[in-house]
Amino acid sequence: MMSGKHFKAHEVSCCIKYFIFGFNIIFWLLGVAFLGIGLWAWSEKFSVFLGIIFFLELTAGVLAFVFKDWIKDQLNFFINNNIRAYRDDIDLQNLIDFTQEYWECCGAFGADDWNLNIYFNCTDSNPSREKCGVPFSCCTKDPAEDVINTQCGYDIRAKAVSEQRTFIYIKGCVPQFEKWLQDNLTVVAGIFIGIALLQIFGICLAQNLVSDIEVVRESCLFT
């Protein structure tokens, strides 16, 4: 039978346990999938898992800086592929529309990228009513309009570029994204640094918790 003296001498720190719990709640907000992996890591090797995540994020940050041109090419490839399939998938269509509206852009590098889509291309053989047009998400917004005009991009690319500027966004989404990153570099860096510090803090707490558990376990064996 274990003595009361044993539990007074060796107990797992309550503060550390609650800190660990709070730390995992923060990561839960990042997604259910991450929580599932985190719960597995908690029961197996929690501090090791956090160390791996931190290393992978650090590596991803370095690679993103070194291979930024490659990443830009991949983003261009991704957007253009989705332009081709714009009418094939409603979820994909909503994603592209959201992207173009949010970044105030049109196509990967310009409105003419919509020639890749069979409904919007400007070939003479195209029978579509949307020929030489762009989706409504490329159109500049009039604050006075309450209802979206889904036909605002019809025939717009048949006009001169100088005239297009009045009705649609001319800049592509790739350069707009690059501009956003440059304008918000401090904020983006701060977020990643903050996440990294949280993870380092979590690794330290997890290591302390493991140490306390080992002490209690050893005490149980020799009591």
Side-chain angles (χ1 to χ4, degrees), residues 175-194:
Q176 284 293 84
F177 178 67
E178 287 182 309
K179 181 179 181 298
W180 181 87
L181 280 180
Q182 291 174 357
D183 293 343
N184 298 274
L185 185 60
T186 303
V187 176
V188 173
I191 291 173
F192 278 104
I193 291 173

Side-chain angles (χ1 to χ4, degrees), residues 55-70:
F55 175 77
L56 291 176
E57 288 179 345
L58 183 62
T59 302
V62 173
L63 291 177
F65 177 78
V66 175
F67 297 103
K68 57 183 178 181
D69 290 336
W70 179 84

Side-chain angles (χ1 to χ4, degrees), residues 35-181:
L35 174 63
I37 298 173
L39 289 175
W40 171 84
W42 175 277
S43 62
E44 298 295 331
K45 297 181 178 179
F46 189 59
S47 61
V48 174
F49 181 75
L50 281 176
I52 292 173
I53 291 179
F54 176 73
F55 175 77
L56 291 176
E57 288 179 345
L58 183 62
T59 302
V62 173
L63 291 177
F65 177 78
V66 175
F67 297 103
K68 57 183 178 181
D69 290 336
W70 179 84
I71 292 173
K72 184 171 68 174
D73 291 340
Q74 294 303 309
L75 181 60
N76 177 37
F77 178 77
F78 174 78
I79 293 175
N80 284 337
N81 269 353
N82 289 339
I83 285 176
R84 291 186 180 93
Y86 179 74
R87 293 295 190 203
D88 300 336
D89 187 327
I90 187 62
D91 293 325
L92 179 62
Q93 182 174 314
N94 290 334
L95 174 63
I96 294 176
D97 286 334
F98 171 79
T99 301
Q100 293 189 143
E101 287 180 318
Y102 184 80
W103 298 113
E104 297 186 349
C105 57
C106 191
F109 283 94
D112 283 340
D113 287 335
W114 281 97
N115 277 327
L116 296 171
N117 186 278
I118 60 173
Y119 299 100
F120 294 99
N121 71 62
C122 280
T123 56
D124 294 334
S125 60
N126 184 8
S128 171
R129 178 61 189 89
E130 296 175 305
K131 173 183 175 180
C132 284
V134 292
F136 72 91
S137 53
C138 283
C139 298
T140 56
K141 301 299 181 292
D142 184 351
E145 291 183 353
D146 295 328
V147 180
I148 296 175
N149 177 12
T150 57
Q151 299 180 357
C152 61
Y154 280 19
D155 304 316
I156 192 65
R157 289 189 296 113
K159 305 178 185 295
V161 175
S162 58
E163 191 174 354
Q164 291 180 27
R165 296 177 183 275
T166 307
F167 302 100
I168 64 172
Y169 304 122
I170 298 299
K171 295 179 180 179
C173 293
V174 173
Q176 284 293 84
F177 178 67
E178 287 182 309
K179 181 179 181 298
W180 181 87
L181 280 180

